[in-house]
Structure formats: C-alpha cells, structure tokens
Amino acid sequence: MGPFYHIGSYIYMLKALFVRPERISMYWKETFRQMVDIGVGSLLIVAIISFFIGAVSTVQFAYNLQDSLIPMMYVGYVVKESMILEFAPTISCLILAGKVGSNISSELGSMRLSEQIDALEIMGVYTKAYLIGPKILAAITMIPLLVIISAAIGIYGGMIAGILSGYVLRTDYIQGVLSFFDAFGVFVMLLKSVTFGFLLTSISCYQGYNAYGGALEIGKASTRAVVISSIMVLFADYILAWILL
Amino acid sequence: MIEISNIHKSFGKQQVLKGIDSVFHKGKTNLIIGKSGSGKTVLIKCIVGLLRPEQGSVKYDGQEFLTMTVNEKKEIRKQIGMLFQGNALFDSMTVEENIRFPLDMFTKQSMSEKVDRVNEVLAKVQLKDTNHKFPSEISGGMQKRVGIARAIVLNPKYLFCDEPNSGLDPKTAMLIDDLIREITQEYNITTVINTHDMNSVVRIGDNILYLYQGEKNWQGDNEQLFYTDNQDLTDFIFASEFLQEAKEFRLQNWKNRKA
C-alpha cells in the first residue's frame, strides 16, 4: 500500500476521533492517565537533555565570542533565544518522538495483537476515539508544559556551564537572558510544541493501531512511528519557521 | 436467534467463506467446527462485525446487522459478549477493573452497584477473591473465566466464544464448557462457539455447523454427529485412533440397544 493510502487512512483516523463519547468520565480518566505517562514520565529525560543542550550552547557561544568586542552578556541572550525558538521545542519533541512515540505505538500494537482492541470494538466502544483521542489530548496539553520546563532548565544549564567554565559571569548571563524579551518567541515555541506533540502522538497512534501480524510487526511499527514522527517534526519545524519568522 | 445467509468473504484472491447459511438458536450452544484454515474465525468475525463480508446477511433476532448505521451496530454490540481465544483482558487493569469496564462505560450505576455486579459474575464463574489481581497473576483457566465474566456482566443476549478451550488442560476445558452451557441455559442467550475441541463438541454441541474449505458441509447435533455418513466430517471428528474406537464402541452400544 502506497503513501496515499496511508495519508487517507491517517486522515480517516483523525476524523473518527470526533464522536460523542459513550461516557465522558471514562475518556477523562484515560486522558489523565496519559497525561501522567507522557508528562511526568518524560520530565526527567527532557530535563537532563535540556540542561546539557543549554550548557553546550553557552560554552560554544562563549568560546566564539571570547576574543571579540561583543559583550559576554550576549551569551545569555543567544542561549535564551535559541532555547526558546529552536532547542526546547524541537529537540525535546525529537526526544519525545523516540520515547513517547515508541511507547504509544508498541502499547497500541500489542493491544491490537492480543485482541484487546477487538474486545473494545465488540463491547461497542469507539476504539479510535477512546484509545487515540486521550493520547493526543494529553500530548498537546503536556508537551507544551514540558517544553516550557525544557527552555527554563536549558537557560539555567547554560548559566551553570558559563560560571563553571569561567567564560561568563553570572550577572552578565542573567542580564543577557533578561534583555530584549520578545513574547512572540514564546508564542512560536508554544505553537511548535503543540504542533509537534500532535504530530508525534497521532503518527505513533496510527502506526500502533494498524499493526497486524506478530511481535516482529510491533517492533517495525515502533520504528516506523519514531522515524516518521521525527521527520514530520523537522518538516513542520521548517514550515512554521518559514511562515512565522 | 442469529441467522446468517450466503456469507462470502475473501482476502485478496483467496476466498475464505463461500456462501455460508446457518441459524444459531437461542438457549442453545451453537458450535462452529472445522479444520484450521476452514474459515471458523473469519465467520465469527463476520457475524460480530469485526470483518465485513462482501456478500450475505447477518440477522440478530430478525434485524439485519450488516446494513445498520454505526450507532445502530453499537446498540446491537452492547448486547453481545465475546470471549476471545487469547482472553483479550486489559493487562493494565485488575480482574475487577476488567469486568467492571463495560459497566463503567455503558451504565450509570453507582460504584457499589457495579462492584456488587462484578462479585456476582465472579461468583458465577467460581472466581471469588481475585478482584485485585492482575491478569498476569492468575492462571490461563482463571483468565478464561474472567473473560467469560466480563462477557456476561452486561447480561448479553448473544455470547460468542472463540476457541474457549485453547491452551487449557482437559479438566479445566470441561469446566469452561460446563460454565458456558450453564450460562447459556440460565440466561437463555444465543451462544456461538468456535472450536475444534472434540470433547466440547460431544459434551455441549446442541447445534453444530461443520465448515470444510470455506463451505458449510454439515449441520446437526452431537447425537447425529456419531451416525453421520459424511466422510469429510467423519475424517475430521475421528482423526485419532482413540476417538475412532470410541465411535465404534458407541455404534456397537446403539446397535445392541436396537436389537
């Protein structure tokens, strides 16, 4: 089956999410469970990676600025801008495409293979709405929060690295971070994180929900989920940057 | 009662079901038997709507199922309970949560009413005090019984069982058979079982449909089964030497009784 079949099926899957839930409380319960899984479950890895991205950015910018006439406070400014506009939303979502995407895809894939999805279908549950809807809703709620935390930790990590390496003073760094604040950058960051969150969860759900065969197929579906989600996140990143900036 | 007629189903060029007709009666255990690959599972999936046949009709108490809207099908499905071959229990939920799931989703009962109902069906399947265990913590036979409990918790009018005895020892398999028959008679529901367990066929086969290469080859009850001259069916049923001897023994008894 070619790409047009999958694009059509993917759109059809998204359309199937808009139904009247059998019992709204069950959908909320599932959404909160997913919020914990996606949000709390990914917090540590996002924090660690963001800290080091901020740290590396600081060291590299400071190294390039050290023999120039540009004040060192610009290190803080550049790290803040790059964390907000690019690193926090894009790198975090690429990490989440690996962690959350493969988790969602293998969860749905094993539910499909063990006939749990068929069991829900027989009971009369809208399986796409019940299994996929809460995951997407949880992702577009929690991923922007993770991205905000990621940006904050990245900027903080940059400061720690700057101080420890001796390239930049704490006061200069903080002055840079607080300078030229542009709220539009934060809007772009949040828009990116919602878009990327939607893409990575919906693509992973599509791959897992449509996994047929054996255990090998679950592995393949997870790999496809991660690869396609990552490519689509980067593609959407380019499109959003092109449109908004 | 469920009536199916002229069911055709293909996968690519391979025609799996070739015009199956049958009636599954209320209050009886209706069995679909046949060799592996004869189309039993495909037929049961066509009846419950997990697969869509290219041609044919499926009627639940006179209501045509295949042409119904999604919402109409949903209403019928609320009256269906199904036991899957691999049990299909939700592994992240406890036994109680698994059985309570249809109640949570489709009823407005209070929590205490739901728990009472769960305990009632657990008692029915002889599984008390397992409420807080996870499916991975109980045996295969117990998982089957939890599957049955979940299937009957909403008092279905139709019960489908796909290979209910697969992977079970003969004694546990008999227990499951007895349970299914008891539930069928007590609640007066239409039960359709897909099996190739000959013990089940002999013990609970009120109405047996034999599929051979995607076609209906024979239909009757477990008494008629032993005296049929259908060669395909005889080859299938009495495949083992033990069963062949059992058949001869039965025929001899029958002849003696007649004499």
Side-chain angles (χ1 to χ4, degrees):
Chain A
M1 281 168 281
F4 290 110
Y5 170 84
H6 289 291
I7 292 168
S9 300
Y10 173 75
I11 293 168
Y12 183 76
M13 177 195 86
L14 295 179
K15 189 175 153 242
L17 304 181
F18 296 96
V19 290
R20 188 187 168 89
E22 296 85 1
R23 189 151 304 279
I24 194 83
S25 58
M26 291 293 282
Y27 280 66
W28 278 122
K29 193 176 157 192
E30 182 62 14
T31 305
F32 288 127
R33 192 176 75 84
Q34 293 298 332
M35 280 177 164
V36 173
D37 267 10
I38 295 171
V40 181
S42 309
L43 188 58
L44 185 66
I45 188 159
V46 166
I48 292 170
I49 285 165
S50 305
F51 183 90
F52 285 109
I53 288 173
V56 171
S57 304
T58 295
V59 172
Q60 288 188 349
F61 283 126
Y63 173 74
N64 285 303
L65 295 183
Q66 65 180 343
D67 295 325
S68 71
L69 296 173
I70 302 169
M72 289 309 264
M73 65 160 263
Y74 279 96
V75 174
Y77 170 70
V78 170
V79 170
K80 175 194 74 179
E81 285 296 303
S82 47
M83 282 308 297
I84 288 176
L85 277 177
E86 192 58 32
F87 291 148
T90 310
I91 303 292
S92 297
C93 287
L94 286 174
I95 299 300
L96 291 173
K99 187 192 174 288
V100 176
S102 63
N103 189 21
I104 287 175
S105 170
S106 50
E107 180 189 331
L108 288 178
S110 52
M111 282 185 82
R112 166 67 72 196
L113 261 56
S114 60
E115 297 178 309
Q116 292 176 42
I117 294 180
D118 286 346
L120 287 169
E121 199 91 43
I122 294 293
M123 284 177 204
V125 175
Y126 291 120
T127 53
K128 287 182 181 130
Y130 178 67
L131 294 172
I132 298 171
K135 287 182 172 60
I136 294 179
L137 191 59
I140 61 175
T141 315
M142 297 310 286
I143 289 178
L145 294 177
L146 284 173
V147 167
I148 291 170
I149 293 168
S150 161
I153 292 176
I155 293 167
Y156 181 73
M159 187 180 77
I160 300 291
I163 296 165
L164 289 179
S165 61
Y167 278 125
V168 58
L169 295 172
R170 183 173 170 271
T171 47
D172 286 348
Y173 188 89
I174 291 174
Q175 191 191 351
V177 169
L178 297 177
S179 301
F180 317 114
F181 178 74
D182 183 7
F184 184 69
V186 176
F187 168 75
V188 172
M189 176 183 78
L190 292 175
L191 185 65
K192 278 185 176 183
S193 56
V194 170
T195 310
F196 299 164
F198 170 78
L199 283 172
L200 77 91
T201 40
S202 59
I203 290 168
S204 305
C205 286
Y206 176 77
Q207 293 297 335
Y209 191 89
N210 293 297
Y212 290 95
L216 196 64
E217 193 54 38
I218 297 178
K220 284 182 181 172
S222 292
T223 307
R224 276 198 303 271
V226 174
V227 171
I228 299 171
S229 303
S230 304
I231 292 169
M232 290 313 293
V233 162
L234 292 172
F235 180 67
D237 188 30
Y238 167 68
I239 297 291
L240 286 175
W242 184 42
I243 293 170
L244 297 171
L245 301 176
Chain B
M1 186 172 74
I2 301 169
E3 296 160 85
I4 58 169
S5 60
N6 200 28
I7 300 284
H8 284 80
K9 179 69 190 169
S10 306
F11 294 99
K13 284 180 184 169
Q14 193 192 357
Q15 205 176 352
V16 179
L17 298 178
K18 301 165 189 168
I20 311 285
D21 300 284
S22 190
V23 177
F24 302 116
H25 302 282
K26 194 175 180 180
K28 292 195 170 175
T29 43
N30 302 275
L31 268 57
I32 302 171
I33 63 170
K35 286 181 189 169
S36 297
S38 58
K40 303 186 296 292
T41 301
V42 174
L43 178 60
I44 221 167
K45 286 189 173 178
C46 285
I47 297 171
V48 297
L50 287 174
L51 291 173
R52 188 169 177 80
E54 285 95 37
Q55 208 180 316
S57 150
V58 176
K59 286 183 180 164
Y60 284 86
D61 289 319
Q63 296 172 271
E64 178 57 58
F65 182 67
L66 297 178
T67 54
M68 283 179 180
T69 63
V70 175
N71 286 335
E72 287 169 339
K73 277 185 182 168
K74 239 172 109 74
E75 289 309 310
I76 291 285
R77 280 178 169 163
K78 285 180 195 167
Q79 301 168 28
I80 293 177
M82 185 156 178
L83 173 64
F84 285 85
Q85 191 174 352
N87 309 317
L89 298 177
F90 307 125
D91 35 23
S92 59
M93 297 182 190
T94 62
V95 165
E96 182 180 303
E97 287 166 342
N98 261 284
I99 300 170
R100 214 180 61 213
F101 185 87
L103 297 169
D104 287 338
M105 196 57 114
F106 298 111
T107 71
K108 289 180 179 169
Q109 292 173 359
S110 67
M111 185 52 88
S112 63
E113 285 173 324
K114 285 188 270 195
V115 172
D116 286 348
R117 176 64 184 152
V118 169
N119 289 331
E120 193 185 320
V121 289
L122 276 174
K124 168 68 58 196
V125 299
Q126 297 156 35
L127 267 185
K128 284 183 179 173
D129 305 324
T130 52
N131 296 45
H132 303 296
K133 289 191 172 166
F134 283 91
S136 57
E137 295 170 340
I138 57 177
S139 70
M142 289 162 95
Q143 287 180 14
K144 289 276 179 200
R145 282 185 274 164
V146 175
I148 294 173
R150 187 177 67 182
I152 62 169
V153 75
L154 282 177
N155 287 321
K157 284 170 76 177
Y158 316 99
L159 178 65
F160 292 88
C161 305
D162 187 14
E163 306 270 6
N165 296 334
S166 68
L168 299 181
D169 65 89
K171 204 173 172 186
T172 312
M174 276 164 64
L175 196 96
I176 298 290
D177 283 344
D178 291 343
L179 190 59
I180 292 171
R181 169 165 249 183
E182 192 188 315
I183 289 164
T184 304
Q185 289 172 347
E186 191 180 326
Y187 297 122
N188 196 26
I189 57 181
T190 307
T191 298
V192 181
I193 303 168
N194 170 4
T195 187
H196 42 218
D197 181 351
M198 284 312 122
N199 285 325
S200 303
V201 175
V202 174
R203 283 168 61 81
I204 60 167
D206 295 333
N207 175 32
I208 302 162
L209 167 66
Y210 174 59
L211 295 187
Y212 183 73
Q213 294 179 348
E215 289 179 48
K216 174 180 166 181
N217 188 281
W218 183 87
Q219 186 153 16
D221 62 28
N222 53 3
E223 276 290 314
Q224 294 164 330
L225 190 76
F226 279 97
Y227 312 118
T228 178
D229 51 6
N230 183 318
Q231 196 54 46
D232 293 327
L233 179 61
T234 308
D235 289 348
F236 171 69
I237 298 282
F238 306 107
S240 76
E241 216 170 282
F242 173 74
L243 285 168
Q244 188 62 47
E245 280 172 17
K247 181 193 177 184
E248 279 160 17
F249 181 71
R250 268 209 174 196
L251 279 174
Q252 194 57 50
N253 277 352
W254 185 57
K255 279 175 191 163
N256 290 345
R257 272 210 310 267
K258 276 194 129 183

